[in-house]
Amino acid sequence: MFLVKIPNKKSGRVFLQISEGYRSGGKVKQRKVKALGYLDELEELYEDPVAHFKEVAIQMTEEKRRLKETITLSIPIHRALESCEALDACRQNRKNLGYAACSVLYHQLEIDYFLNNRRRYKKFQANLNSIFKLLVYNRTLFPDSKKGAWEQRGMFFEDTRFGLEDVYRSLDYFLEWRSALLEHLHQRMKKLYDRKTLLMYYDVTNYYFEIHEDDELRRRGVSKEHQPKPIVQMGLFLDEQGLPVTYDLFRGNMNDCTTFPSMLDDTVIGLGMHHLIVVADKGMMSGENIAKVRLQHNGYVFSYSVRSADKQFKAYVLEDQGYVDTFNRNGELESRMKSRIAPRSIWVTDERGKVVSTIINERQIVIYSAKYARKARKERQKVIEKASKRIWSFSKDANTSRYGSAKYLQKVPVDTSTGEFKPSIDYVTILNDQQIAEDEQLDGYYVICTNVIGLAEGERPFNQSFRYTRDGFFQLNRLVSDHEILSMYQGLWRIEETFKVTKSELKARPVFVSTEQHIRAHFLICFVSLLIMRLLEYRMNWRHSSGAIQESLSKASGSKLEENLYVFDYFDQVLADIGGDLNLDFSRKYLSSQDIRSFIGATKKT
């Protein structure tokens, strides 16, 4: 086999293909083995496409010789591809084999068993398991709409004998089984991966929609992506290993902290998980949430805003006594830490529905980071510069805001005719130097509040691994240092990264369905795809990112040479590592139809 360059006289572009010679009627002729694409496009993927594919042609020749059989190609000789449409038609002959890695985990989690057990009781002619597999595999490797997934259904070596209407109708069934499926996945994760659930990480993100009017679910709210469009909120729990546990959707105008009680109930009651330590950022730090965690005899590790604390708390933070300092090599202060167990007042709703103040005892850890302080000063300088543009402006409105650049402005009465400061209906805006100075004092400080404690020095161990004390502390049967609590809190970066995966690799939005039922079903499919993707990362010990895994698995594709033979033209280290872990050999270049059936069949017997 050899590389052929076919110039297009009209466009000036060069098309590459691999061809081979054969003898017919005593004459030597050529026939195309594989269309590669236009040279200018391939140069974006390979440093030297010509040299690369010359080597590929040599390897294909050697592999064909090794097969020790004559291959009679049934592909007709085509003229050079002169249009994008012809190139797309050529690409339709491609099939993906990389999804086999997803298939292993899909069947390990027994999602097929779960769906097949339930679909037998439904009067639905199409195979619901086949539809769900298609949507999950497509979302994991080739994110697209439901219609797009169905149109590309021939990409996988799977049973796809169902129509587009069946795909949309199946979404209602999937949503009906959502709670049971989440519980099923949790039980399988406990059995297969020894899921650790003492620490549970919680956070909220949102997804915006390209619509103009709000509805029951999609409402305008505070968008994480600063979009003035209707959004939905998603709450997500991760376990200690950084793997998704459960999720739910909420109206777009719900405050982040109000999603927490419902999610905690779903986790504790729906999944049967008790005695948790919930870790979350300051968005969850409300009296109601703390009270709920304590009433269920759970632990919490929440960050707390120093700037919103009372004067006594701020004074404790700024007091030098008690800090343990850490310095860098240049002798500069890098960080400091101190802690105490102290009472704090929180606001909760009593049984009569009245909001009242109550006192709780908790462990409070104050941390100072020089790096965080530098970042805060840099960000504040931008805000002050913005506020400075508004000084000396006159206004009849004496009210000021506590947010944004207005936080550093104050309005004072002035007589506009003389410039003298006195009570008047006119006000002039000036910088609030006192507020700026107060905020600068607190730069770099943040607080972690928790009811998690360990054994006191000299305290005797108790029988169980933890216990809930009468004064509301979640006590572990070992020493628990301030640094360990900080380490628990810092694990939140995993959930932030997980949200990025849903929005980048899995492309959870845009959402191409519009009814609330179908939107919720869409995010169920995204959640299952997310679990499979994060499991692949976890099994690789996080050596490869989700983006690298998705790229490699999606490129593990091949083209049909003849009725019973496919050639696969991509292999890299990521595929080697995944294959080694899952017992899949992605390195083979030629596979017969029987080989492929055996290859895919083995993924369903794990």
Side-chain angles (χ1 to χ4, degrees):
M1 299 182 193
F2 49 88
L3 182 67
V4 178
K5 293 186 281 187
I6 306 174
N8 188 309
K9 294 181 180 180
K10 293 183 180 179
S11 64
R13 301 173 73 188
V14 177
F15 188 83
L16 300 185
Q17 71 179 38
I18 292 176
S19 298
E20 69 175 351
Y22 70 100
R23 187 174 296 276
S24 176
K27 295 182 180 181
V28 177
K29 297 183 179 181
Q30 293 182 11
R31 56 190 170 198
K32 180 179 69 178
V33 175
K34 181 183 178 184
L36 301 173
Y38 285 105
L39 179 60
D40 55 341
E41 294 178 351
L42 294 171
E43 284 175 341
E44 297 178 2
L45 303 175
Y46 304 94
E47 185 176 349
D48 187 347
V50 174
H52 172 76
F53 286 107
K54 281 183 178 179
E55 181 63 28
V56 170
I58 293 172
Q59 293 175 359
M60 289 174 64
T61 302
E62 293 175 352
E63 185 71 17
K64 181 180 177 181
R65 187 180 297 114
R66 189 181 64 81
L67 291 175
K68 294 182 180 180
E69 63 180 13
T70 302
I71 301 175
T72 305
L73 297 179
S74 59
I75 302 176
I77 298 175
H78 294 291
R79 59 186 174 85
L81 297 177
E82 298 176 355
S83 66
C84 293
E85 290 79 6
L87 183 58
D88 289 340
C90 177
R91 287 172 177 166
Q92 288 178 5
N93 195 39
R94 301 279 287 174
K95 281 184 176 287
N96 178 261
L97 195 65
Y99 83 94
C102 303
S103 179
V104 172
L105 301 182
Y106 185 95
H107 292 89
Q108 269 190 356
L109 294 171
E110 294 186 352
I111 301 174
D112 58 324
Y113 175 82
F114 174 89
L115 293 173
N116 287 331
N117 270 352
R118 281 158 179 78
R119 74 182 180 91
R120 69 180 64 178
Y121 302 107
K122 300 293 183 180
K123 295 180 179 179
F124 195 83
Q125 291 185 348
N127 188 321
L128 289 166
N129 178 50
S130 296
I131 296 174
F132 195 76
K133 276 198 296 187
L134 170 69
L135 297 178
V136 168
Y137 297 161
N138 188 267
R139 177 62 51 184
T140 307
L141 301 185
F142 307 95
D144 203 345
S145 64
K146 307 297 174 288
K147 182 173 183 289
W150 179 79
E151 289 174 343
Q152 297 297 322
R153 63 195 182 281
M155 184 186 308
F156 304 118
F157 296 96
E158 295 287 333
D159 176 17
T160 55
R161 290 172 294 180
F162 46 81
L164 179 59
E165 183 180 342
D166 296 323
V167 173
Y168 287 117
R169 288 178 56 213
S170 68
L171 298 178
D172 295 323
Y173 293 102
F174 300 149
L175 182 60
E176 178 185 338
W177 300 326
R178 171 190 168 276
S179 296
L181 178 57
L182 293 177
E183 183 180 2
H184 169 83
L185 292 173
H186 172 58
Q187 296 302 326
R188 292 297 297 166
M189 288 295 294
K190 285 172 59 179
K191 182 176 181 179
L192 296 172
Y193 295 95
D194 190 26
R195 167 169 273 169
K196 305 290 190 300
T197 57
L198 178 62
L199 276 182
M200 293 284 287
Y201 293 94
Y202 182 71
D203 203 356
V204 178
T205 192
N206 48 53
Y207 304 85
Y208 68 91
F209 288 74
E210 300 287 352
I211 59 173
H212 301 293
E213 299 295 331
D214 292 10
D215 58 25
E216 186 62 28
L217 177 64
R218 297 172 290 182
R219 301 284 186 90
R220 282 175 172 81
V222 181
S223 171
K224 310 284 186 184
E225 298 167 276
H226 310 290
Q227 289 287 341
K229 299 175 181 178
I231 59 176
V232 297
Q233 299 274 66
M234 173 191 274
L236 179 69
F237 266 118
L238 295 189
D239 61 21
E240 289 184 46
Q241 295 133 302
L243 300 172
V245 176
T246 187
Y247 80 100
D248 205 353
L249 294 185
F250 303 91
R251 296 191 310 274
N253 59 355
M254 284 187 70
N255 188 285
D256 286 2
C257 69
T258 60
T259 67
F260 180 77
S262 172
M263 284 294 296
L264 187 59
D265 283 342
D266 286 348
T267 304
V268 172
I269 300 172
L271 300 182
M273 298 168 62
H274 303 280
H275 307 302
L276 316 171
I277 299 175
V278 182
V279 185
D281 65 13
K282 58 181 176 289
M284 302 303 132
M285 176 59 86
S286 70
E288 299 288 356
N289 288 346
I290 291 174
K292 187 172 187 65
V293 171
R294 285 175 170 256
L295 285 171
Q296 292 182 347
H297 289 185
N298 291 317
Y300 66 88
V301 178
F302 291 165
S303 62
Y304 181 49
S305 173
V306 182
R307 302 190 195 284
S308 63
D310 56 32
K311 291 182 179 180
Q312 290 78 12
F313 203 111
K314 289 179 180 177
Y316 170 71
V317 169
L318 295 174
E319 186 180 273
D320 282 335
Q321 185 178 358
Y323 277 110
V324 176
D325 296 341
T326 303
F327 299 89
N328 61 22
R329 294 178 179 177
N330 299 323
E332 300 168 334
L333 180 64
E334 190 172 77
S335 64
R336 55 191 337 205
M337 181 185 294
K338 70 176 178 179
S339 67
R340 67 179 183 178
I341 291 179
R344 186 166 67 89
S345 176
I346 62 172
W347 294 92
V348 297
T349 304
D350 64 15
E351 61 274 7
R352 296 171 296 175
K354 185 178 179 180
V355 178
V356 297
S357 176
T358 186
I359 302 296
I360 60 170
N361 288 316
E362 68 182 1
R363 182 179 185 177
Q364 299 162 354
I365 304 172
V366 182
I367 303 108
Y368 170 82
S369 165
K371 182 179 179 181
Y372 181 39
R374 290 191 293 269
K375 179 182 178 184
R377 292 190 188 104
K378 186 176 180 180
E379 291 176 349
R380 181 185 302 100
Q381 189 56 41
K382 294 178 181 178
V383 177
I384 292 174
E385 289 173 2
K386 183 177 179 181
S388 299
K389 297 177 182 179
R390 298 172 58 184
I391 64 174
W392 304 117
S393 60
F394 291 97
S395 172
K396 295 181 182 295
D397 182 12
N399 295 322
T400 56
S401 171
R402 296 181 61 186
Y403 303 97
S405 61
K407 177 182 181 181
Y408 297 125
L409 295 171
Q410 61 177 337
K411 295 181 179 180
V412 295
V414 64
D415 188 321
T416 56
S417 60
T418 65
E420 297 179 1
F421 291 93
K422 67 178 185 179
S424 172
I425 61 172
D426 291 315
Y427 292 81
V428 66
T429 303
I430 63 174
L431 281 177
N432 189 337
D433 293 326
Q434 181 180 352
Q435 183 65 58
I436 294 173
E438 288 179 4
D439 281 1
E440 284 179 345
Q441 279 187 307
L442 296 171
D443 282 348
Y445 289 96
Y446 62 100
V447 178
I448 296 174
C449 293
T450 179
N451 67 337
V452 179
I453 60 173
L455 295 175
E457 193 167 334
E459 185 177 3
R460 295 181 60 184
F462 43 89
N463 294 329
Q464 60 269 41
S465 59
F466 55 81
R467 66 185 177 188
Y468 200 79
T469 68
R470 291 182 178 179
D471 48 355
F473 285 103
F474 191 95
Q475 186 176 24
L476 300 179
N477 193 11
R478 54 183 172 80
L479 295 175
V480 180
S481 67
D482 292 345
H483 284 283
E484 184 174 351
I485 297 295
L486 175 60
S487 178
M488 290 179 185
Y489 176 74
Q490 289 174 335
L492 273 172
W493 73 272
R494 282 278 186 211
I495 200 165
E496 295 171 0
E497 182 188 59
T498 300
F499 282 139
K500 289 179 182 178
V501 172
T502 66
K503 295 182 178 183
S504 54
E505 279 74 38
L506 300 184
K507 293 182 174 58
R509 68 153 308 279
V511 182
F512 295 98
V513 288
S514 56
T515 67
E516 180 174 339
Q517 295 291 97
H518 286 183
I519 291 171
R520 291 184 178 276
H522 164 77
F523 280 100
L524 173 61
I525 292 164
C526 290
F527 176 82
V528 175
S529 302
L530 175 66
L531 176 58
I532 288 175
M533 178 61 78
R534 298 303 267 178
L535 268 175
L536 286 170
E537 291 182 87
Y538 174 74
R539 292 179 66 111
M540 298 296 102
N541 198 26
W542 310 101
R543 293 194 307 275
H544 303 299
S545 68
S546 57
I549 290 173
Q550 184 186 69
E551 180 181 11
S552 294
L553 292 179
S554 63
K555 285 183 176 180
S557 300
S559 301
K560 182 185 286 189
L561 290 182
E562 62 168 5
E563 188 63 29
N564 293 311
L565 188 67
Y566 286 82
V567 58
F568 295 90
D569 49 33
Y570 187 83
F571 184 71
D572 62 10
Q573 188 59 48
V574 178
L575 291 174
D577 291 346
I578 293 174
D581 180 71
L582 299 177
N583 196 28
L584 298 172
D585 184 4
F586 290 112
S587 65
R588 295 180 62 184
K589 291 187 177 125
Y590 291 91
L591 290 173
S592 67
S593 297
Q594 180 58 47
D595 292 335
I596 293 171
R597 282 194 294 271
S598 300
F599 189 87
I600 298 299
T603 69
K604 303 175 183 180
K605 298 175 182 178
T606 54

